[in-house]
PDB file of all heavy atoms in Angstrom:
ATOM      1  N   LEU A 142      15.492  -0.674 -15.039  1.00  0.00           N
ATOM      2  CA  LEU A 142      15.170   0.508 -14.244  1.00  0.00           C
ATOM      3  C   LEU A 142      13.715   0.410 -13.799  1.00  0.00           C
ATOM      4  O   LEU A 142      12.815   0.258 -14.626  1.00  0.00           O
ATOM      5  CB  LEU A 142      15.364   1.783 -15.059  1.00  0.00           C
ATOM      6  CG  LEU A 142      16.804   2.123 -15.471  1.00  0.00           C
ATOM      7  CD1 LEU A 142      16.800   3.263 -16.481  1.00  0.00           C
ATOM      8  CD2 LEU A 142      17.627   2.504 -14.250  1.00  0.00           C
ATOM      9  N   ILE A 143      13.493   0.476 -12.484  1.00  0.00           N
ATOM     10  CA  ILE A 143      12.143   0.407 -11.927  1.00  0.00           C
ATOM     11  C   ILE A 143      11.996   1.517 -10.890  1.00  0.00           C
ATOM     12  O   ILE A 143      12.897   1.730 -10.076  1.00  0.00           O
ATOM     13  CB  ILE A 143      11.865  -0.958 -11.252  1.00  0.00           C
ATOM     14  CG1 ILE A 143      12.125  -2.111 -12.227  1.00  0.00           C
ATOM     15  CG2 ILE A 143      10.431  -1.025 -10.737  1.00  0.00           C
ATOM     16  CD1 ILE A 143      11.925  -3.481 -11.609  1.00  0.00           C
ATOM     17  N   THR A 144      10.889   2.222 -10.915  1.00  0.00           N
ATOM     18  CA  THR A 144      10.676   3.291  -9.950  1.00  0.00           C
ATOM     19  C   THR A 144      10.267   2.734  -8.579  1.00  0.00           C
ATOM     20  O   THR A 144       9.811   1.582  -8.468  1.00  0.00           O
ATOM     21  CB  THR A 144       9.586   4.254 -10.444  1.00  0.00           C
ATOM     22  OG1 THR A 144       8.441   3.499 -10.847  1.00  0.00           O
ATOM     23  CG2 THR A 144      10.078   5.058 -11.623  1.00  0.00           C
ATOM     24  N   ARG A 145      10.424   3.561  -7.560  1.00  0.00           N
ATOM     25  CA  ARG A 145      10.014   3.211  -6.205  1.00  0.00           C
ATOM     26  C   ARG A 145       8.922   4.169  -5.734  1.00  0.00           C
ATOM     27  O   ARG A 145       8.854   5.312  -6.171  1.00  0.00           O
ATOM     28  CB  ARG A 145      11.196   3.291  -5.227  1.00  0.00           C
ATOM     29  CG  ARG A 145      12.221   2.194  -5.395  1.00  0.00           C
ATOM     30  CD  ARG A 145      13.283   2.297  -4.301  1.00  0.00           C
ATOM     31  NE  ARG A 145      14.277   1.238  -4.392  1.00  0.00           N
ATOM     32  CZ  ARG A 145      14.131   0.037  -3.844  1.00  0.00           C
ATOM     33  NH1 ARG A 145      13.031  -0.247  -3.158  1.00  0.00           N
ATOM     34  NH2 ARG A 145      15.070  -0.872  -3.956  1.00  0.00           N
ATOM     35  N   ASN A 146       8.084   3.685  -4.834  1.00  0.00           N
ATOM     36  CA  ASN A 146       7.091   4.549  -4.204  1.00  0.00           C
ATOM     37  C   ASN A 146       7.781   5.470  -3.200  1.00  0.00           C
ATOM     38  O   ASN A 146       8.696   5.046  -2.478  1.00  0.00           O
ATOM     39  CB  ASN A 146       6.044   3.701  -3.475  1.00  0.00           C
ATOM     40  CG  ASN A 146       5.145   2.967  -4.443  1.00  0.00           C
ATOM     41  OD1 ASN A 146       4.635   3.551  -5.391  1.00  0.00           O
ATOM     42  ND2 ASN A 146       4.958   1.669  -4.216  1.00  0.00           N
ATOM     43  N   GLU A 147       7.351   6.718  -3.179  1.00  0.00           N
ATOM     44  CA  GLU A 147       7.961   7.684  -2.263  1.00  0.00           C
ATOM     45  C   GLU A 147       7.232   7.699  -0.921  1.00  0.00           C
ATOM     46  O   GLU A 147       6.754   8.731  -0.458  1.00  0.00           O
ATOM     47  CB  GLU A 147       7.968   9.075  -2.901  1.00  0.00           C
ATOM     48  CG  GLU A 147       8.880   9.190  -4.111  1.00  0.00           C
ATOM     49  CD  GLU A 147       9.025  10.619  -4.588  1.00  0.00           C
ATOM     50  OE1 GLU A 147       8.342  11.494  -4.014  1.00  0.00           O
ATOM     51  OE2 GLU A 147       9.795  10.859  -5.529  1.00  0.00           O
ATOM     52  N   ASP A 148       7.135   6.548  -0.302  1.00  0.00           N
ATOM     53  CA  ASP A 148       6.568   6.462   1.030  1.00  0.00           C
ATOM     54  C   ASP A 148       7.542   5.684   1.906  1.00  0.00           C
ATOM     55  O   ASP A 148       8.649   5.352   1.488  1.00  0.00           O
ATOM     56  CB  ASP A 148       5.177   5.808   1.001  1.00  0.00           C
ATOM     57  CG  ASP A 148       5.202   4.425   0.349  1.00  0.00           C
ATOM     58  OD1 ASP A 148       6.293   3.816   0.268  1.00  0.00           O
ATOM     59  OD2 ASP A 148       4.141   3.947  -0.081  1.00  0.00           O
ATOM     60  N   GLN A 149       7.141   5.386   3.123  1.00  0.00           N
ATOM     61  CA  GLN A 149       8.045   4.716   4.052  1.00  0.00           C
ATOM     62  C   GLN A 149       8.412   3.316   3.602  1.00  0.00           C
ATOM     63  O   GLN A 149       9.476   2.805   3.955  1.00  0.00           O
ATOM     64  CB  GLN A 149       7.418   4.672   5.453  1.00  0.00           C
ATOM     65  CG  GLN A 149       7.291   6.047   6.113  1.00  0.00           C
ATOM     66  CD  GLN A 149       6.733   5.948   7.524  1.00  0.00           C
ATOM     67  OE1 GLN A 149       6.209   4.921   7.927  1.00  0.00           O
ATOM     68  NE2 GLN A 149       6.844   7.038   8.271  1.00  0.00           N
ATOM     69  N   SER A 150       7.543   2.687   2.813  1.00  0.00           N
ATOM     70  CA  SER A 150       7.826   1.325   2.372  1.00  0.00           C
ATOM     71  C   SER A 150       8.979   1.274   1.379  1.00  0.00           C
ATOM     72  O   SER A 150       9.753   0.315   1.355  1.00  0.00           O
ATOM     73  CB  SER A 150       6.579   0.701   1.733  1.00  0.00           C
ATOM     74  OG  SER A 150       6.316   1.289   0.474  1.00  0.00           O
ATOM     75  N   GLY A 151       9.090   2.308   0.547  1.00  0.00           N
ATOM     76  CA  GLY A 151      10.115   2.289  -0.485  1.00  0.00           C
ATOM     77  C   GLY A 151       9.925   1.154  -1.465  1.00  0.00           C
ATOM     78  O   GLY A 151      10.869   0.732  -2.145  1.00  0.00           O
ATOM     79  N   SER A 152       8.698   0.644  -1.546  1.00  0.00           N
ATOM     80  CA  SER A 152       8.423  -0.519  -2.388  1.00  0.00           C
ATOM     81  C   SER A 152       8.503  -0.162  -3.865  1.00  0.00           C
ATOM     82  O   SER A 152       8.408   1.003  -4.255  1.00  0.00           O
ATOM     83  CB  SER A 152       7.035  -1.076  -2.072  1.00  0.00           C
ATOM     84  OG  SER A 152       6.045  -0.075  -2.245  1.00  0.00           O
ATOM     85  N   LEU A 153       8.687  -1.192  -4.685  1.00  0.00           N
ATOM     86  CA  LEU A 153       8.776  -0.977  -6.116  1.00  0.00           C
ATOM     87  C   LEU A 153       7.428  -0.576  -6.688  1.00  0.00           C
ATOM     88  O   LEU A 153       6.384  -1.077  -6.268  1.00  0.00           O
ATOM     89  CB  LEU A 153       9.268  -2.251  -6.814  1.00  0.00           C
ATOM     90  CG  LEU A 153      10.676  -2.726  -6.472  1.00  0.00           C
ATOM     91  CD1 LEU A 153      11.006  -3.996  -7.250  1.00  0.00           C
ATOM     92  CD2 LEU A 153      11.712  -1.648  -6.753  1.00  0.00           C
ATOM     93  N   ASN A 154       7.449   0.325  -7.642  1.00  0.00           N
ATOM     94  CA  ASN A 154       6.252   0.729  -8.372  1.00  0.00           C
ATOM     95  C   ASN A 154       6.496   0.416  -9.843  1.00  0.00           C
ATOM     96  O   ASN A 154       7.307   1.073 -10.501  1.00  0.00           O
ATOM     97  CB  ASN A 154       5.989   2.218  -8.168  1.00  0.00           C
ATOM     98  CG  ASN A 154       4.700   2.669  -8.816  1.00  0.00           C
ATOM     99  OD1 ASN A 154       4.339   2.225  -9.896  1.00  0.00           O
ATOM    100  ND2 ASN A 154       3.991   3.565  -8.151  1.00  0.00           N
TER     101      ASN A 154
END
Side-chain angles (χ1 to χ4, degrees):
L142 294 170
I143 305 178
T144 50
R145 288 185 178 274
N146 289 312
E147 293 189 356
D148 56 20
Q149 292 183 346
S150 72
S152 57
L153 296 180
N154 184 322

